[in-house]
Amino acid sequence: MANSPSGDSVTDRLVRILETFTPTRTAQTTADIGRRAGLPSSSAHRIVNELVDAGLLERDEERRVRVGMRLWELATRSSHALRLRQAALPYMERVQQRVREHTQLAILEHDEALFLERLSAPDSGANITRVAGRLPVHASSSGLVLLAFAPHDLQERVLAGPLPRVTPETIVDPAALRRTLAEIRTLGRVIAPGYVDEVSTGVAVPVRDETGAVIAALSVVLPRDAETQFALVELHRAARDTERALGYRR
């Protein structure tokens, strides 16, 4: 790819433009995109126009720019994440119907927990998670499960810090976090009261692929003082059913 006068490649600029979109920032002006991507106005307008022409971005009635359906289509073709979500969704629905609280599926992506799906009832409690949103691996229940079974070098990189404190309950001491990860590997679950939201408790279990490797975490978000055993039973059952759908045999 050709470089710009500043030395960044076309790919770098494309990625920076796409990364300006977030779960809460779904429509922007081209000027805002350029500012957030750190691009000159002329470059931002040219690249955005090319992406719109290709269908990867689109403009709404107010001339704001959104992610296009073509990008979604390309991203979901032969997607490992899509296959995982499709395998897990029926069993997530069962958990959500029985527990009646937020039920979530997350994977490890760039040292964060990336959420592929979230099911909620109208009367579910507080939850800051969004589909396609991210949470720190050291603070969220899903992240802790994913980190516990992650490659050793990734664990050490996270343990080396920084470990930002999200709430007063967040584990920010590396030695305490190391002990928690060892406990998760032994017990096959985590209960995280108030780690990422003071009024909630996250409960999560691992999900394995056909090779036996942990590729995801299933979790529920309960009110802070809620009983957790019933949710754990349902999560373990859903994880086993998802694993069988993926081809894993214990």
Side-chain angles (χ1 to χ4, degrees):
M1 290 287 186
N3 287 348
S4 70
S6 63
D8 54 347
S9 70
V10 173
T11 301
D12 291 333
R13 284 173 279 165
L14 289 174
V15 170
R16 280 155 51 193
I17 283 175
L18 295 176
E19 285 183 338
T20 65
F21 294 92
T22 71
T24 57
R25 188 193 302 133
T26 59
Q28 311 175 77
T29 66
T30 302
D32 285 339
I33 291 172
R35 176 176 54 79
R36 292 181 174 118
L39 294 173
S41 177
S42 59
S43 296
H45 278 80
R46 176 176 54 80
I47 297 172
V48 166
N49 285 339
E50 291 174 355
L51 292 172
V52 170
D53 289 342
L56 302 181
L57 297 177
E58 58 189 28
R59 287 191 173 92
D60 62 20
E61 298 82 357
E62 299 177 7
R63 304 295 293 169
R64 295 176 303 176
V65 180
R66 298 178 180 272
V67 172
M69 290 300 294
R70 179 66 171 163
L71 183 59
W72 171 84
E73 178 188 359
L74 292 172
T76 54
R77 286 181 182 174
S78 302
S79 167
H80 172 73
L82 180 62
R83 174 174 174 256
L84 170 62
R85 177 186 173 278
Q86 288 174 333
L89 191 55
Y91 310 114
M92 293 178 64
E93 290 173 343
R94 185 180 66 204
V95 173
Q96 200 278 323
Q97 289 167 3
R98 290 177 62 80
V99 179
R100 302 297 298 169
E101 296 290 350
H102 306 286
T103 305
Q104 306 170 152
L105 177 69
I107 60 173
L108 186 64
E109 217 275 328
H110 288 174
D111 297 1
E112 294 178 300
L114 171 64
F115 289 84
L116 304 183
E117 186 57 271
R118 189 188 94 172
L119 305 178
S120 302
D123 56 348
S124 298
N127 186 9
I128 64 174
T129 304
R130 296 176 181 270
V131 174
R134 296 169 180 262
L135 287 177
V137 287
H138 73 287
S140 57
S141 60
S142 294
L144 286 166
V145 164
L146 295 167
L147 183 60
F149 294 95
H152 178 73
D153 60 338
L154 191 155
Q155 292 184 26
E156 293 302 315
R157 182 166 67 247
V158 172
L159 286 162
L163 298 171
R165 188 181 298 280
V166 182
T167 75
E169 304 299 330
T170 307
I171 302 175
V172 295
D173 175 64
L177 180 56
R178 193 181 297 274
R179 289 192 297 271
T180 297
L181 298 179
E183 182 180 80
I184 293 169
R185 288 190 292 271
T186 299
L187 300 178
R189 54 84 170 151
V190 67
I191 300 171
Y195 285 20
V196 76
D197 190 327
E198 291 185 69
V199 301
S200 302
T201 291
V203 182
V205 302
V207 177
R208 300 176 186 272
D209 66 10
E210 65 273 13
T211 71
V214 172
I215 58 166
L218 271 175
S219 65
V220 296
V221 178
L222 306 171
R224 176 68 179 266
D225 297 324
E227 191 273 334
T228 60
Q229 187 57 37
F230 179 69
L232 273 172
V233 169
E234 292 298 322
L235 283 173
H236 280 300
R237 181 184 172 204
R240 289 194 300 269
D241 288 340
T242 301
E243 290 167 350
R244 281 194 289 269
L246 293 171
Y248 178 54
R249 300 293 182 266
R250 293 177 182 269

